[in-house]
Amino acid sequence: MFAIKEINSRSDLLPNITLGYKIYDSGVLENKAVQSVLSILSGREEAVPNYSCDEKNKVVAFIGHLQSSSSLSIAEITGIYGYPQLLLPNSMSNKEVPRPSKGTGSGKNVAGASRSGNRRSRGGSSSLSNRPEQLNLNQQISYGAMDPVFNNKLLFPYFYRTVPDGSAQNEAIVLLLQHFGWSWVGMVTADDESSQQASMDLYKVITQSRVCIAYRESVGDFTIFKHSTAYRKVLYKIKKTHCNVIIFIGNTYELLLLNSILSDDLSPRKVVIILSLVFPGEIITLTTLQGSFWLMLQKGRIPGLKEYLLTAGPLKYPDVDLMLDIWEFYLDCSFRQNLFYRPCDEKDVLGNVDHSCYDVDNFCYTFSVYSAVYIVAYALHDLIFSYKRQEHLRLFIIQSSKVAWKVRSSDIQTI
């Protein structure tokens, strides 16, 4: 929302164009991610495959998903329609997003976008207006999928990303193990497809570097796995091996489960290397993980975002349905008729929330999303101005051919 608003307020990037968007929250569920894509393509909440029910708005880009498994499912659909999917190049991960100078096109990194009417629509795609029908971008951009499989351009010719692939992360793990002389490590992985694939790739790299893997165990959702026999099996394996280094691959829920396992383990403290999509505040509260390593994306600079987030509140964005639960969770107020929350007022802004709960200083995947939106804008900028240049070139060729014909005719008459 911040990036879209920033782009629409500029006159140099996409003049006379308003970007719109739709945002869908699919969480970590692949089926919801696929359903969201089908809804966007259909132009209505109830998806109608192979049909577009929205004549005014035409989608020309997608941004997402965070997980590799969901990104793969989405790419298989968007690839049919010719929508590329994008994640940020590593060279941009620690910089402020570059901005084209006035009147020039510098969109070299192609990204996903969409075209619609003049209005903005809530919800993860962008829209354009007042441009010729020939200007179709048709792209999809992922901001978190690191699976190296997406490097295969034969299978995924339209797939792009704003993060490096997992091979760089695996090499960093090996260097870390070699630096501290750790030659015997364990691996705990979430049972989702993305984490399992990442675990297999890392396992191959580690074993090739002459580091021994003591065990590879999978863990599931905290509420279900906690009381299962599999939980006791993982706990027993960690106790039995006396391995002091654990590599964890997964998300927040599985990390909470590992924290519970290590709390039940009375052996000496473990060093945990975390490869996860969790955020700093959630790690700080887990006492058994203090002193561990967390491999994270490099932070990027987003001017004005911190102030934007601190001043955000329900009165400022009353129509954003996606934020209703956020207001209730952080501000204890609600716009909906709710007996458990008081009505929101002008004093309810996120700047009043405890900073340990609401982090506005560590932008990791936030920067990847921000960059993905700007890449879409750059690609549109370059596409539009390229179209204009092509039109001028076409007219020049036509005029030149007429002049050349006249010259030849004159020469004939002279002879």
Side-chain angles (χ1 to χ4, degrees), residues 2 92-99 298-305 363 367 370-371:
F2 172 79
M92 292 181 62
S93 60
N94 61 345
K95 303 176 182 178
E96 179 181 351
V97 176
R99 306 190 178 191
Q298 293 179 335
K299 294 186 294 184
R301 180 171 175 264
I302 308 179
L305 180 59
F363 302 130
F367 183 74
Y370 178 80
S371 299

PDB file of all heavy atoms in Angstrom, residues 2 92-99 298-305 363 367 370-371:
ATOM      1  N   PHE A   2       1.932   1.230   0.824  1.00  0.00           N
ATOM      2  CA  PHE A   2       2.828   2.372   0.901  1.00  0.00           C
ATOM      3  C   PHE A   2       3.513   2.608  -0.440  1.00  0.00           C
ATOM      4  O   PHE A   2       3.585   3.744  -0.931  1.00  0.00           O
ATOM      5  CB  PHE A   2       3.873   2.132   1.997  1.00  0.00           C
ATOM      6  CG  PHE A   2       4.967   3.156   2.046  1.00  0.00           C
ATOM      7  CD1 PHE A   2       4.757   4.392   2.632  1.00  0.00           C
ATOM      8  CD2 PHE A   2       6.216   2.889   1.494  1.00  0.00           C
ATOM      9  CE1 PHE A   2       5.765   5.348   2.677  1.00  0.00           C
ATOM     10  CE2 PHE A   2       7.228   3.830   1.531  1.00  0.00           C
ATOM     11  CZ  PHE A   2       6.998   5.055   2.128  1.00  0.00           C
ATOM     12  N   MET A  92      20.310  -5.993  -5.252  1.00  0.00           N
ATOM     13  CA  MET A  92      19.502  -4.871  -4.789  1.00  0.00           C
ATOM     14  C   MET A  92      19.087  -5.040  -3.337  1.00  0.00           C
ATOM     15  O   MET A  92      18.430  -4.189  -2.781  1.00  0.00           O
ATOM     16  CB  MET A  92      18.234  -4.748  -5.642  1.00  0.00           C
ATOM     17  CG  MET A  92      18.490  -4.339  -7.071  1.00  0.00           C
ATOM     18  SD  MET A  92      16.947  -4.184  -7.975  1.00  0.00           S
ATOM     19  CE  MET A  92      16.140  -2.877  -7.048  1.00  0.00           C
ATOM     20  N   SER A  93      19.468  -6.158  -2.698  1.00  0.00           N
ATOM     21  CA  SER A  93      18.890  -6.490  -1.405  1.00  0.00           C
ATOM     22  C   SER A  93      19.375  -5.598  -0.275  1.00  0.00           C
ATOM     23  O   SER A  93      18.775  -5.557   0.775  1.00  0.00           O
ATOM     24  CB  SER A  93      19.203  -7.952  -1.056  1.00  0.00           C
ATOM     25  OG  SER A  93      20.601  -8.162  -0.997  1.00  0.00           O
ATOM     26  N   ASN A  94      20.468  -4.876  -0.457  1.00  0.00           N
ATOM     27  CA  ASN A  94      20.961  -4.036   0.627  1.00  0.00           C
ATOM     28  C   ASN A  94      21.018  -2.565   0.230  1.00  0.00           C
ATOM     29  O   ASN A  94      21.741  -1.784   0.787  1.00  0.00           O
ATOM     30  CB  ASN A  94      22.361  -4.507   1.048  1.00  0.00           C
ATOM     31  CG  ASN A  94      23.357  -4.397  -0.083  1.00  0.00           C
ATOM     32  OD1 ASN A  94      22.959  -4.238  -1.228  1.00  0.00           O
ATOM     33  ND2 ASN A  94      24.632  -4.475   0.245  1.00  0.00           N
ATOM     34  N   LYS A  95      20.205  -2.216  -0.764  1.00  0.00           N
ATOM     35  CA  LYS A  95      20.229  -0.831  -1.233  1.00  0.00           C
ATOM     36  C   LYS A  95      18.846  -0.227  -1.199  1.00  0.00           C
ATOM     37  O   LYS A  95      17.841  -0.923  -1.124  1.00  0.00           O
ATOM     38  CB  LYS A  95      20.758  -0.772  -2.666  1.00  0.00           C
ATOM     39  CG  LYS A  95      22.144  -1.392  -2.855  1.00  0.00           C
ATOM     40  CD  LYS A  95      22.528  -1.360  -4.308  1.00  0.00           C
ATOM     41  CE  LYS A  95      23.886  -2.012  -4.538  1.00  0.00           C
ATOM     42  NZ  LYS A  95      24.239  -2.017  -5.967  1.00  0.00           N
ATOM     43  N   GLU A  96      18.806   1.072  -1.269  1.00  0.00           N
ATOM     44  CA  GLU A  96      17.546   1.740  -1.508  1.00  0.00           C
ATOM     45  C   GLU A  96      17.143   1.469  -2.948  1.00  0.00           C
ATOM     46  O   GLU A  96      17.982   1.438  -3.847  1.00  0.00           O
ATOM     47  CB  GLU A  96      17.693   3.234  -1.281  1.00  0.00           C
ATOM     48  CG  GLU A  96      16.406   4.008  -1.538  1.00  0.00           C
ATOM     49  CD  GLU A  96      16.594   5.487  -1.324  1.00  0.00           C
ATOM     50  OE1 GLU A  96      17.657   5.878  -0.824  1.00  0.00           O
ATOM     51  OE2 GLU A  96      15.673   6.249  -1.656  1.00  0.00           O
ATOM     52  N   VAL A  97      15.878   1.243  -3.189  1.00  0.00           N
ATOM     53  CA  VAL A  97      15.423   0.955  -4.542  1.00  0.00           C
ATOM     54  C   VAL A  97      15.746   2.122  -5.451  1.00  0.00           C
ATOM     55  O   VAL A  97      15.382   3.261  -5.153  1.00  0.00           O
ATOM     56  CB  VAL A  97      13.903   0.684  -4.559  1.00  0.00           C
ATOM     57  CG1 VAL A  97      13.415   0.488  -5.984  1.00  0.00           C
ATOM     58  CG2 VAL A  97      13.588  -0.528  -3.723  1.00  0.00           C
ATOM     59  N   PRO A  98      16.445   1.921  -6.574  1.00  0.00           N
ATOM     60  CA  PRO A  98      16.799   3.026  -7.461  1.00  0.00           C
ATOM     61  C   PRO A  98      15.574   3.626  -8.114  1.00  0.00           C
ATOM     62  O   PRO A  98      14.585   2.946  -8.339  1.00  0.00           O
ATOM     63  CB  PRO A  98      17.699   2.341  -8.512  1.00  0.00           C
ATOM     64  CG  PRO A  98      17.289   0.917  -8.489  1.00  0.00           C
ATOM     65  CD  PRO A  98      16.908   0.632  -7.068  1.00  0.00           C
ATOM     66  N   ARG A  99      15.649   4.882  -8.419  1.00  0.00           N
ATOM     67  CA  ARG A  99      14.504   5.561  -9.003  1.00  0.00           C
ATOM     68  C   ARG A  99      14.925   6.224 -10.318  1.00  0.00           C
ATOM     69  O   ARG A  99      15.965   6.865 -10.387  1.00  0.00           O
ATOM     70  CB  ARG A  99      13.969   6.617  -8.043  1.00  0.00           C
ATOM     71  CG  ARG A  99      13.681   6.008  -6.677  1.00  0.00           C
ATOM     72  CD  ARG A  99      12.928   6.950  -5.788  1.00  0.00           C
ATOM     73  NE  ARG A  99      12.636   6.325  -4.516  1.00  0.00           N
ATOM     74  CZ  ARG A  99      11.821   6.823  -3.612  1.00  0.00           C
ATOM     75  NH1 ARG A  99      11.203   7.956  -3.847  1.00  0.00           N
ATOM     76  NH2 ARG A  99      11.605   6.207  -2.485  1.00  0.00           N
ATOM     77  N   GLN A 298      19.420  -9.352   3.823  1.00  0.00           N
ATOM     78  CA  GLN A 298      19.966  -8.039   4.116  1.00  0.00           C
ATOM     79  C   GLN A 298      18.846  -7.004   4.119  1.00  0.00           C
ATOM     80  O   GLN A 298      17.925  -7.057   3.309  1.00  0.00           O
ATOM     81  CB  GLN A 298      21.013  -7.659   3.074  1.00  0.00           C
ATOM     82  CG  GLN A 298      22.253  -8.523   3.133  1.00  0.00           C
ATOM     83  CD  GLN A 298      23.273  -8.152   2.078  1.00  0.00           C
ATOM     84  OE1 GLN A 298      22.914  -7.610   1.053  1.00  0.00           O
ATOM     85  NE2 GLN A 298      24.526  -8.448   2.324  1.00  0.00           N
ATOM     86  N   LYS A 299      18.958  -6.069   5.050  1.00  0.00           N
ATOM     87  CA  LYS A 299      17.931  -5.044   5.170  1.00  0.00           C
ATOM     88  C   LYS A 299      18.146  -3.951   4.135  1.00  0.00           C
ATOM     89  O   LYS A 299      19.272  -3.613   3.790  1.00  0.00           O
ATOM     90  CB  LYS A 299      17.947  -4.443   6.578  1.00  0.00           C
ATOM     91  CG  LYS A 299      17.549  -5.418   7.666  1.00  0.00           C
ATOM     92  CD  LYS A 299      17.432  -4.732   9.012  1.00  0.00           C
ATOM     93  CE  LYS A 299      18.754  -4.222   9.506  1.00  0.00           C
ATOM     94  NZ  LYS A 299      18.640  -3.646  10.864  1.00  0.00           N
ATOM     95  N   GLY A 300      17.041  -3.418   3.646  1.00  0.00           N
ATOM     96  CA  GLY A 300      17.106  -2.318   2.695  1.00  0.00           C
ATOM     97  C   GLY A 300      16.476  -1.065   3.278  1.00  0.00           C
ATOM     98  O   GLY A 300      15.697  -1.120   4.232  1.00  0.00           O
ATOM     99  N   ARG A 301      16.815   0.058   2.706  1.00  0.00           N
ATOM    100  CA  ARG A 301      16.318   1.343   3.199  1.00  0.00           C
ATOM    101  C   ARG A 301      15.043   1.728   2.452  1.00  0.00           C
ATOM    102  O   ARG A 301      15.018   1.750   1.224  1.00  0.00           O
ATOM    103  CB  ARG A 301      17.386   2.415   3.011  1.00  0.00           C
ATOM    104  CG  ARG A 301      16.973   3.797   3.494  1.00  0.00           C
ATOM    105  CD  ARG A 301      18.153   4.746   3.473  1.00  0.00           C
ATOM    106  NE  ARG A 301      17.737   6.102   3.815  1.00  0.00           N
ATOM    107  CZ  ARG A 301      17.452   7.032   2.933  1.00  0.00           C
ATOM    108  NH1 ARG A 301      17.554   6.765   1.639  1.00  0.00           N
ATOM    109  NH2 ARG A 301      17.094   8.241   3.314  1.00  0.00           N
ATOM    110  N   ILE A 302      13.988   2.013   3.201  1.00  0.00           N
ATOM    111  CA  ILE A 302      12.719   2.447   2.620  1.00  0.00           C
ATOM    112  C   ILE A 302      12.366   3.798   3.235  1.00  0.00           C
ATOM    113  O   ILE A 302      11.778   3.861   4.322  1.00  0.00           O
ATOM    114  CB  ILE A 302      11.599   1.431   2.886  1.00  0.00           C
ATOM    115  CG1 ILE A 302      12.029   0.031   2.449  1.00  0.00           C
ATOM    116  CG2 ILE A 302      10.319   1.847   2.174  1.00  0.00           C
ATOM    117  CD1 ILE A 302      11.003  -1.032   2.704  1.00  0.00           C
ATOM    118  N   PRO A 303      12.731   4.886   2.603  1.00  0.00           N
ATOM    119  CA  PRO A 303      12.477   6.217   3.168  1.00  0.00           C
ATOM    120  C   PRO A 303      10.991   6.449   3.416  1.00  0.00           C
ATOM    121  O   PRO A 303      10.158   6.215   2.534  1.00  0.00           O
ATOM    122  CB  PRO A 303      13.015   7.170   2.095  1.00  0.00           C
ATOM    123  CG  PRO A 303      13.971   6.351   1.296  1.00  0.00           C
ATOM    124  CD  PRO A 303      13.423   4.962   1.305  1.00  0.00           C
ATOM    125  N   GLY A 304      10.666   6.918   4.627  1.00  0.00           N
ATOM    126  CA  GLY A 304       9.299   7.294   4.943  1.00  0.00           C
ATOM    127  C   GLY A 304       8.412   6.169   5.430  1.00  0.00           C
ATOM    128  O   GLY A 304       7.309   6.424   5.938  1.00  0.00           O
ATOM    129  N   LEU A 305       8.854   4.909   5.312  1.00  0.00           N
ATOM    130  CA  LEU A 305       7.984   3.790   5.699  1.00  0.00           C
ATOM    131  C   LEU A 305       7.754   3.733   7.211  1.00  0.00           C
ATOM    132  O   LEU A 305       6.645   3.460   7.661  1.00  0.00           O
ATOM    133  CB  LEU A 305       8.573   2.469   5.213  1.00  0.00           C
ATOM    134  CG  LEU A 305       7.759   1.218   5.566  1.00  0.00           C
ATOM    135  CD1 LEU A 305       6.350   1.305   4.996  1.00  0.00           C
ATOM    136  CD2 LEU A 305       8.457  -0.046   5.071  1.00  0.00           C
ATOM    137  N   PHE A 363      13.322  -4.206   8.282  1.00  0.00           N
ATOM    138  CA  PHE A 363      12.587  -4.508   7.063  1.00  0.00           C
ATOM    139  C   PHE A 363      13.380  -5.512   6.224  1.00  0.00           C
ATOM    140  O   PHE A 363      14.376  -5.151   5.613  1.00  0.00           O
ATOM    141  CB  PHE A 363      12.352  -3.226   6.251  1.00  0.00           C
ATOM    142  CG  PHE A 363      11.613  -2.165   7.015  1.00  0.00           C
ATOM    143  CD1 PHE A 363      12.089  -0.869   7.060  1.00  0.00           C
ATOM    144  CD2 PHE A 363      10.446  -2.476   7.691  1.00  0.00           C
ATOM    145  CE1 PHE A 363      11.410   0.114   7.765  1.00  0.00           C
ATOM    146  CE2 PHE A 363       9.757  -1.496   8.391  1.00  0.00           C
ATOM    147  CZ  PHE A 363      10.238  -0.203   8.434  1.00  0.00           C
ATOM    148  N   PHE A 367      11.180  -5.169   2.549  1.00  0.00           N
ATOM    149  CA  PHE A 367      11.939  -4.521   1.481  1.00  0.00           C
ATOM    150  C   PHE A 367      11.803  -5.289   0.168  1.00  0.00           C
ATOM    151  O   PHE A 367      11.774  -4.695  -0.918  1.00  0.00           O
ATOM    152  CB  PHE A 367      13.406  -4.424   1.881  1.00  0.00           C
ATOM    153  CG  PHE A 367      14.256  -3.704   0.868  1.00  0.00           C
ATOM    154  CD1 PHE A 367      14.169  -2.337   0.733  1.00  0.00           C
ATOM    155  CD2 PHE A 367      15.123  -4.397   0.049  1.00  0.00           C
ATOM    156  CE1 PHE A 367      14.940  -1.658  -0.205  1.00  0.00           C
ATOM    157  CE2 PHE A 367      15.895  -3.735  -0.889  1.00  0.00           C
ATOM    158  CZ  PHE A 367      15.809  -2.364  -1.011  1.00  0.00           C
ATOM    159  N   TYR A 370       8.426  -4.321  -1.226  1.00  0.00           N
ATOM    160  CA  TYR A 370       8.534  -2.930  -1.696  1.00  0.00           C
ATOM    161  C   TYR A 370       9.277  -2.868  -3.030  1.00  0.00           C
ATOM    162  O   TYR A 370       8.853  -2.185  -3.967  1.00  0.00           O
ATOM    163  CB  TYR A 370       9.268  -2.119  -0.632  1.00  0.00           C
ATOM    164  CG  TYR A 370       9.516  -0.665  -0.955  1.00  0.00           C
ATOM    165  CD1 TYR A 370       8.509   0.288  -0.808  1.00  0.00           C
ATOM    166  CD2 TYR A 370      10.776  -0.238  -1.367  1.00  0.00           C
ATOM    167  CE1 TYR A 370       8.758   1.624  -1.084  1.00  0.00           C
ATOM    168  CE2 TYR A 370      11.025   1.098  -1.650  1.00  0.00           C
ATOM    169  CZ  TYR A 370      10.014   2.030  -1.502  1.00  0.00           C
ATOM    170  OH  TYR A 370      10.260   3.346  -1.779  1.00  0.00           O
ATOM    171  N   SER A 371      10.375  -3.604  -3.112  1.00  0.00           N
ATOM    172  CA  SER A 371      11.162  -3.612  -4.337  1.00  0.00           C
ATOM    173  C   SER A 371      10.396  -4.250  -5.482  1.00  0.00           C
ATOM    174  O   SER A 371      10.501  -3.808  -6.632  1.00  0.00           O
ATOM    175  CB  SER A 371      12.482  -4.368  -4.107  1.00  0.00           C
ATOM    176  OG  SER A 371      13.247  -3.744  -3.101  1.00  0.00           O
TER     177      SER A 371
END
